[in-house]
Amino acid sequence: MTGPLLELDGVRKHYPVHEGLILRRQVGAVRAVDGVSLSIAAGETLAVVGESGCGKSTLARLALRLIAPSAGTIRFDGRDVTHDGRAALKPLRRQMQVIFQDPFASLNPRMSVEEILAEPMLVHGLGDAASRAARVRELLDLVGLARYHADRFPHEFSGGQRQRIGIARALALKPRLIVCDEPVSALDVSIQAQVVNLLKDLQAEFGLAYLFISHGLAVVRHMADRVAVMYLGEVVETAPVGALYAAPRHPYTQALLAAAPVPDPARRPARPALGGDVPSPMKPPAGCRFHTRCIVAQARCREEAPALRTLGPGHAAACHFAETVPAFTRLGAGERHARLQARLALYERKRAAMTATTAA
Amino acid sequence: MPLAAARPILQPDHPATAPRGAAAPEPILEVRDLATTFATPRGPIRPVDGVSLAVAPGRTLGIVGESGCGKSMLSLSLMGLVPAPGRVTGGSIRLEGRELVGLAPAAMRSLRGRRIAMIFQEPMTSLNPVHTIGYQIVEALREHETLPARALKEKAIAALRQVRIPAPERRFDEYPHQLSGGMRQRVMLAMALACRPALLIADEPTTALDVTIQAQILDLLRELQAETGMAIILITHDLGVVAQVADEVAVMYAGRIVERAPVAAIFDDPQHPYTIGLMGAMPRMEDERDRLVVIGGTVPPPFALPAGCRFGPRCPFAGEECRAAYPPTAEIAPGHAVACWKAPVETQA
């Protein structure tokens, strides 16, 4: 195996904050991303989870090199692209694409689906009209849309179908990496399941790598190979997906998992796991940034920022007390009820039969 | 028209909540065969089409459904806020024994906010950005109470304190943009609860919030319900949220309730194929990485409803009878009713 496909090393993005109308003094900086190191291998899904303002969307834009980092290095396929300009980045853009959260805002309402899907090829000067039209048909098939949809406009589609168009557009140039920025957050449960399954099928077929940005912990469980948890611009824990959900070591990861509502009325939490709001990224707390909300915080946490320490294979957490924080217990006993399980199996069988007859 | 306002108003506070699991107390809200109709160029559409439900004091009814199922139009119908050209065209809504369908706008306005209140998904768009939050709460109070300014301010501050907003005296003079999303939703709650309504309708109250803030707001709703004994109708697309706070659940599809049951039964013993599909489509943190159950197709638009059962074209169990007629709602266990020709699905194996 060769090196990682995408590598971020100590990446920072600070946005200066100015005050005053005439003398624009800089009064501080929003540290949106503050020293993040991550890597994604070909064909792998790395999920980045965190709450609003944790810097995950800024990280996505840095990974795509839509913005330049304030510090640190970004390498794609072993090549340093940190300081590349527009021209140098253009070939890179063919290899990394993006799917946005809002399928209503990310498609041009004046373009037909065919134009939307052909545009990336036009921009990169690929093929002729005939080959582009053929590729559009191929893309529609891939994402489960009908060929006659090519002549329609975005407003004629439902949210789920629009997201399929967005996915088809991202696939148009046969990229190796797709940054998925909350791709299913705006979709209904049944549609979300369709899109999650589609993304996984496409990954298996084309060996795509995904940088999957999400606040939905349950979706991440289904999508990711590895997970990085962000808080106030920093990665506080990173682990293989199984380890993260079974044995989270950072108190923030534990709180996030505890706060996610479990679809089982028999397991209701006594109290919310976490009080307070996320502090301002302009003035992150000194020491460990999470200490203002952390239940195990000690004096040391207020003074000394913890480094990301390796705790197991691929598992690291930035907490002084990662070894001694109480084990996380809420999950695990989450067996689906036998009756529901049986009905789901029956539903799946019937549905398979139904799709078989429709296809025939 | 007899002026409803002349009638004695029910007790300012609600009777003590019955303990969970005890015999259900008298419902505070009873809805029967409610229909809301919009005249459109393509003909009349009925986003709410024959909905019946009930909720008792101190209890929470969760209404679950996907976009376009009519759950938000249902809540606006209950509030008497259906936007033109829509209107309630059938059925009955009884709140504390009093019929709301056909009530004069003035009488409805007097009830709204005082006996029945509502909070919405996006607190930023529900709050006026150019007024302080204190001003906005006082404005809501003044609609129903004639008190001197100082007393109104004290009441507003008490309302902010009730929703656990720290330093409410200071917050009173702040503007919505100075607050976080979670704080704004608390302000909306303070405003909704200031007049101690008997029924709170919460339409996706935590959908725009982060998961740790969502947990705080849901917990606050539970606490406030225990304190005031109000009934809650919680409208959501999130089965996880429903599992955490609801006592009873109604699943809506294309304008109708397809299944309703106590919360444990919905999650343990779902009967309607749509409910079963939703349970499988929902990603769960407990599960290994695997495929999700798929409900094929999409919700039909209200002007192109299929004949017979509205879920029929998407349903793996559908047969002849499903295409022929809409199934009657049958009670299969106490409090558990389902509208499906094929339930229980085991018989279809």
Side-chain angles (χ1 to χ4, degrees):
Chain A
M1 187 167 142
T2 50
L5 184 62
L6 176 76
E7 215 178 347
L8 307 182
D9 191 6
V11 167
R12 285 170 208 278
K13 181 69 191 176
H14 293 185
Y15 291 101
V17 177
H18 298 282
E19 207 169 73
L21 279 175
I22 299 158
L23 298 168
R24 299 268 295 158
R25 287 176 305 124
Q26 185 179 336
V27 293
V30 173
R31 304 195 206 167
V33 170
D34 209 11
V36 167
S37 302
L38 292 171
S39 68
I40 304 173
E44 182 191 44
T45 302
L46 171 71
V48 175
V49 296
E51 299 182 282
S52 347
C54 74
K56 54 190 193 297
S57 288
T58 305
L59 187 75
R61 293 204 272 157
L62 286 166
L64 288 162
R65 268 308 323 273
L66 291 174
I67 52 176
S70 314
T73 324
I74 300 171
R75 275 185 294 274
F76 189 85
D77 209 8
R79 189 167 74 84
D80 186 340
V81 297
T82 319
H83 304 290
D84 282 3
R86 280 180 81 97
L89 281 172
K90 198 166 174 191
L92 192 71
R93 304 253 178 257
R94 281 179 63 173
Q95 311 220 20
M96 45 163 69
Q97 288 289 313
V98 59
I99 302 167
F100 296 99
Q101 168 171 2
D102 187 348
F104 293 81
S106 54
L107 301 175
N108 187 335
R110 295 174 176 224
M111 288 166 82
S112 70
V113 169
E114 171 146 30
E115 290 167 325
I116 288 170
L117 297 185
E119 193 180 31
M121 295 178 263
L122 273 174
V123 167
H124 287 275
L126 300 179
D128 51 30
S131 73
R132 282 195 292 268
R135 178 70 179 151
V136 166
R137 286 195 294 277
E138 200 179 309
L139 290 167
L140 288 171
D141 292 347
L142 270 177
V143 298
L145 291 172
R147 294 192 172 181
Y148 64 80
H149 284 144
D151 299 325
R152 299 208 172 163
F153 288 83
H155 74 267
E156 298 177 77
F157 293 90
S158 67
Q161 288 174 317
R162 281 184 225 206
Q163 201 55 300
R164 287 174 192 267
I165 299 169
I167 292 169
R169 177 176 61 184
L171 291 171
L173 299 171
K174 303 185 177 165
R176 297 164 73 192
L177 170 74
I178 297 184
V179 174
C180 311
D181 192 357
E182 305 265 14
V184 296
S185 305
L187 305 178
D188 277 318
V189 181
S190 70
I191 309 303
Q192 179 178 307
Q194 296 173 4
V195 173
V196 163
N197 286 349
L198 173 65
L199 285 172
K200 286 168 78 163
D201 291 345
L202 294 171
Q203 179 169 48
E205 193 171 343
F206 300 111
L208 294 167
Y210 289 141
L211 176 60
F212 192 87
I213 312 281
S214 181
H215 66 273
L217 289 156
V219 174
V220 164
R221 181 80 174 97
H222 281 264
M223 280 298 300
D225 298 303
R226 289 188 301 122
V227 185
V229 181
M230 281 187 79
Y231 187 76
L232 276 178
E234 291 178 336
V235 171
V236 296
E237 183 160 8
T238 166
V241 67
L244 190 96
Y245 285 78
R249 303 295 281 279
H250 196 286
Y252 178 62
T253 312
Q254 297 187 347
L256 265 188
L257 290 173
V262 176
D264 182 352
R267 289 186 296 146
R268 296 184 171 180
R271 304 275 343 158
L274 211 54
D277 280 314
V278 181
S280 159
M282 232 180 107
K283 273 179 267 168
C288 173
R289 291 180 181 188
F290 184 58
H291 84 252
T292 52
R293 303 171 81 194
C294 181
I295 46 164
V296 299
Q298 313 270 325
R300 182 183 173 194
C301 305
R302 286 184 274 280
E303 281 142 28
E304 189 188 335
L308 206 56
R309 283 183 297 128
T310 303
L311 301 163
H315 194 161
C319 174
H320 295 305
F321 304 103
E323 286 83 359
T324 53
V325 288
F328 182 72
T329 49
R330 177 132 166 269
L331 296 170
E335 291 298 307
R336 271 192 211 173
H337 304 281
R339 198 156 30 175
L340 172 60
Q341 209 62 286
R343 272 188 202 144
L344 282 174
L346 183 59
Y347 181 100
E348 288 275 60
R349 272 209 308 284
K350 285 277 182 184
R351 196 179 126 69
M354 181 166 110
T355 9
T357 30
T358 337
Chain B
M1 164 133 199
L3 249 194
R7 274 212 240 160
I9 284 126
L10 285 145
Q11 302 84 355
D13 288 318
H14 320 290
T17 311
R20 304 253 147 123
E26 280 296 292
I28 202 160
L29 176 83
E30 253 189 305
V31 176
R32 258 183 227 288
D33 297 323
L34 184 68
T36 299
T37 311
F38 283 72
T40 75
R42 302 199 218 193
I45 59 163
R46 210 159 277 142
V48 179
D49 192 12
V51 164
S52 299
L53 52 85
V55 57
R59 310 281 287 181
T60 299
L61 169 69
I63 297 182
V64 196
E66 300 185 283
S67 330
C69 75
K71 56 193 196 298
S72 288
M73 204 46 73
L74 171 62
S75 59
L76 293 176
S77 305
L78 299 180
M79 290 292 291
L81 290 174
V82 177
R87 57 194 191 87
V88 172
T89 47
S92 124
I93 305 169
R94 294 187 80 80
L95 177 73
E96 299 179 308
R98 180 167 173 193
E99 181 58 52
L100 300 190
V101 174
L103 202 61
M108 190 65 219
R109 201 177 314 124
S110 137
L111 284 179
R112 214 184 289 128
R114 195 165 50 80
R115 304 311 298 155
I116 176 169
M118 185 163 178
I119 56 172
F120 297 89
Q121 171 171 349
E122 186 31 81
M124 196 62 211
T125 50
S126 312
L127 290 168
N128 189 331
V130 303
H131 291 300
T132 65
I133 59 166
Y135 176 90
Q136 296 182 59
I137 299 174
V138 165
E139 192 185 25
L141 282 168
R142 203 180 288 137
E143 183 74 24
H144 300 292
E145 312 198 19
T146 28
L147 285 172
R150 177 182 292 258
L152 281 172
K153 178 170 181 178
E154 271 164 22
K155 242 185 140 156
I157 289 175
L160 289 173
R161 189 172 294 118
Q162 190 191 17
V163 296
R164 305 354 173 211
I165 289 184
E169 297 82 1
R170 217 180 59 224
R171 293 291 189 190
F172 185 89
D173 293 317
E174 288 187 359
Y175 289 86
H177 77 268
Q178 293 172 286
L179 307 177
S180 66
M183 278 297 156
R184 280 183 213 135
Q185 197 54 287
R186 282 171 197 262
V187 170
M188 288 308 299
L189 256 178
M191 207 181 283
L193 303 184
C195 295
R196 311 213 83 185
L199 172 67
L200 174 72
I201 300 176
D203 189 356
E204 303 268 10
T206 58
T207 304
L209 303 176
D210 278 318
V211 59
T212 62
I213 310 300
Q214 164 172 285
Q216 293 171 11
I217 296 289
L218 293 179
D219 188 59
L220 177 65
L221 273 177
R222 263 191 298 254
E223 279 185 15
L224 293 172
Q225 182 174 47
E227 284 168 23
T228 65
M230 65 179 167
I232 297 178
I233 292 182
L234 178 85
I235 294 175
T236 179
H237 68 282
D238 189 333
L239 288 163
V241 169
V242 161
Q244 294 302 305
V245 298
D247 299 299
E248 282 93 30
V249 181
V251 181
M252 265 188 100
Y253 188 81
R256 294 193 171 164
I257 290 177
V258 296
E259 182 164 10
R260 60 169 196 269
V263 66
I266 278 285
F267 284 86
D268 177 36
D269 186 21
Q271 293 283 341
H272 197 284
Y274 178 59
T275 318
I276 297 170
L278 280 183
M279 292 291 161
M282 166 183 50
R284 292 171 190 250
M285 288 198 293
E286 296 89 332
D287 289 357
E288 288 305 312
R289 195 180 160 170
D290 60 4
R291 293 184 68 80
L292 297 168
V293 170
V294 161
I295 303 175
T298 49
V299 179
F303 49 81
L305 292 174
C309 175
R310 293 172 180 185
F311 186 59
R314 301 176 75 189
C315 179
F317 298 92
E320 278 309 311
E321 65 271 53
C322 307
R323 281 183 278 279
Y326 193 85
T329 303
E331 194 156 35
I332 51 142
H336 191 164
V338 60
C340 176
W341 292 113
K342 299 288 190 178
V345 293
E346 281 75 18
T347 58
Q348 310 297 317

